[in-house]
Structure formats: C-alpha cells, structure tokens
Amino acid sequence: MARATLIGFTAVIMWALLALFTAGSGAVPPFLLSALSFSVATLIGLGMRIAAPPAGPAEPVPPVVWLIGIAGLFGYHFFYFTALRNAPAVEASLIAYLWPLLIVLGSALMPGERLGWHHIAGALLGLAGTALIITKGGGFSFESRYALGYAAAGACALFWSGYSLLSRRFQAVPTSIVTWFCAATAILSALCHVGLEETVWPVSTAEWLNVLGLGLMPVGAAFYAWDYGVKRGNIQVLGAASYAAPLLSTLILIAAGAAEPTTNIIAACLLITFGAALAAKNMILKPRRHEADAAS
C-alpha cells in the first residue's frame, strides 16, 4: 500500500507543473489545450500497451466504469474551465480545491476504509494552506452574480472526488483503461473547442514543447499514476497530500522566476506539510511499531 500511495503522489507532483506549462503554452484556448494534451496522454497509454501487452484476453469492462472514467476526466476539466469563465479565479479555484477534502471525507463510505480524526485534521490544514496560496493572504468574497461560476467550481470538486472514490471500487479494472478515458476526453474537448472557442495554435517551438510537457506529465502520466494510487494505495493520505499541488506549483513558479517568495508561502508550506504528515501518521508510525515488536 505504501508503494502504491507513493506512486499516486507522483501525480500530485506532476500536477504542480500544470501552471508552468500552461503559462508557457501561449494563448491557446482551454478546450483546445485540453484536446491537444489529452491526445498526447492517449499516446502514452498506447505506448505502454505496446511495451507491455496484456498477458491474456482482457476482461470485459463494466459500462459504469466507462461512465465514471470519462465523466471524471472530461467533467472535471469542463466544469473547471466553465468556473474560471464565470467567476473570479480566486474564489473558483478555492471551491474547486475542495476535492481533496471530499476524498478524505468520502473515503469513510468505502468498504474496508476507516476515517480517523487525523485524516480530517490533515485535510483541513491542507485546505487552509491552499487558501493562503490562492488568496495571497488577502480576503475573498462570494457574490451572487457569479453563482454559475461557483456552482461549476463545486461540480468540478464533486466530479474529481467522485471519480477518485468510485475508481477504488473497481480495483480489478487495470490502469490501462485510462488510455481510453484520455482519448474520449480529447475528442469531447475538441468538440467543445469547435463550438465554444476561437482557434489559436501555439506560435513557437517553445509553446509546442510546453503543450507536449502538459500531455506527458500533468495532463498525461499523472492520470495513470493517480488511478493506480487511488485503487491500491491509502486514499485518505493521497487526498490530504493532494493539497501539496498548489504549494509545489507556486514553488516551481518561484524557481522559474515567475513568482516571488512571501511569508504567506512559508506559512502555507508549514500548514500543508504538517497536514500531510498528520494524515499519514499511521502509515509513518506502523513500520516503527513493527520494528519495536521485532526487537522485543
């Protein structure tokens, strides 16, 4: 379980590159960027299938798994883009980033899972740290005229947390199925682009490389790693640790010279790190307990 949890956490690390690569992709509109990125993500899955073909005939995949996977990947991005178009980015981002907390709380309903106070406390500390990063220590307000955007951000959080929790109920379905979820999301994103956006392609090699980077990592390999982690790892720890994504993203932007370090970032770092450690305390302490038992 610890190994699967670490693999799942690599998705969080890759998601931290989302802002950097998105900024470097130029003026490409969101749905076109999503279509391009998920096309690359699909190629990753096809490449893995060629490199490591299944040992025997594939088991039939229940129709509900297709619904969960496509709704999770495409639904999350559709509602996220809709939220940013119809509400201020600070409030929309904060509402959308309720999904790690929803995963931690929702895990209590999963077979074989136990929700402890430290899981909830760790997730809340992570949410507080995320709020510090998003608001930059300032305030935020909710206005009725942005109700559509707020609702879309809430749907965004529900779709991704629901996808993550429900995927765990189908542990027997191999992670390779994510290939087809990515392919469907690329097609649906392309259709949304045609109907809702003006086409603007990357204009330089650097912008194309950033689009490729998106498809290889935060909008590519991350989804395969996340699927493996939520199916076989500690889902409460993964949920709480997911709050590291905005922190890591900010630190990467600082390292790239696109942001400045502040006391709020330091405070957020402490909150998120302590929250993740608190949520993972059982996983951290168990090996030590086993060693103590062996010594006695």
Side-chain angles (χ1 to χ4, degrees):
M1 179 176 285
R3 177 176 175 272
T5 303
L6 290 173
I7 290 174
F9 186 69
T10 64
V12 178
I13 297 173
M14 286 186 276
W15 286 330
L17 295 168
L18 184 63
L20 183 66
F21 285 142
T22 300
S25 64
V28 181
F31 282 113
L32 176 57
L33 189 60
S34 177
L36 293 171
S37 300
F38 275 104
S39 295
V40 176
T42 303
L43 294 177
I44 291 176
L46 293 175
M48 290 191 298
R49 284 171 173 268
I50 294 173
E59 295 290 330
V61 177
V64 68
V65 172
W66 292 101
L67 178 62
I68 291 169
I70 296 172
L73 267 65
F74 176 72
Y76 172 84
H77 290 85
F78 176 84
F79 284 111
Y80 185 70
F81 297 149
T82 302
L84 293 182
R85 280 195 175 96
N86 293 278
V90 169
E91 287 85 349
S93 297
L94 196 55
I95 295 171
Y97 238 96
L98 288 172
W99 65 261
L101 180 60
L102 293 177
I103 287 177
V104 173
L105 297 176
S107 67
L109 304 175
M110 306 299 291
E113 299 291 347
R114 293 180 61 187
L115 182 64
W117 67 268
H118 56 287
H119 295 127
I120 299 173
L124 289 174
L125 286 171
L127 179 60
T130 299
L132 266 181
I133 293 172
I134 293 174
T135 65
K136 297 180 174 62
F140 53 90
S141 60
F142 297 102
E143 302 179 40
S144 58
R145 59 182 171 144
Y146 299 127
L148 175 61
Y150 298 153
C156 175
L158 287 171
F159 265 68
W160 190 250
S161 59
Y163 164 74
S164 301
L165 291 166
L166 291 172
S167 292
R168 191 173 181 87
R169 299 182 70 93
F170 296 94
Q171 294 180 351
V173 177
T175 291
S176 58
I177 193 68
V178 175
T179 304
W180 309 120
F181 298 162
C182 290
T185 301
I187 293 170
L188 292 171
S189 296
L191 293 174
C192 286
H193 165 66
V194 171
L196 300 171
E197 297 174 334
E198 180 182 348
T199 301
V200 179
W201 295 102
V203 296
S204 66
T205 301
E207 290 185 1
W208 277 110
L209 287 175
N210 277 279
V211 173
L212 179 62
L214 280 170
L216 289 175
M217 286 186 281
V219 190
F223 293 115
Y224 297 92
W226 184 253
D227 182 85
Y228 188 87
V230 297
K231 284 179 177 176
R232 297 171 177 81
N234 188 315
I235 196 166
Q236 291 103 341
V237 172
L238 279 175
S242 295
Y243 280 116
L247 172 63
L248 293 173
S249 178
T250 303
L251 294 177
I252 289 170
L253 291 173
I254 290 172
E260 294 293 331
T262 66
T263 54
N264 288 325
I265 291 174
I266 296 173
C269 181
L270 293 173
L271 284 168
I272 292 172
T273 301
F274 182 69
L278 182 61
K281 79 175 184 69
N282 287 351
M283 196 170 70
I284 295 170
L285 295 177
K286 273 182 180 179
R288 295 181 181 177
R289 287 173 183 167
H290 291 322
E291 289 173 8
D293 292 342
S296 61

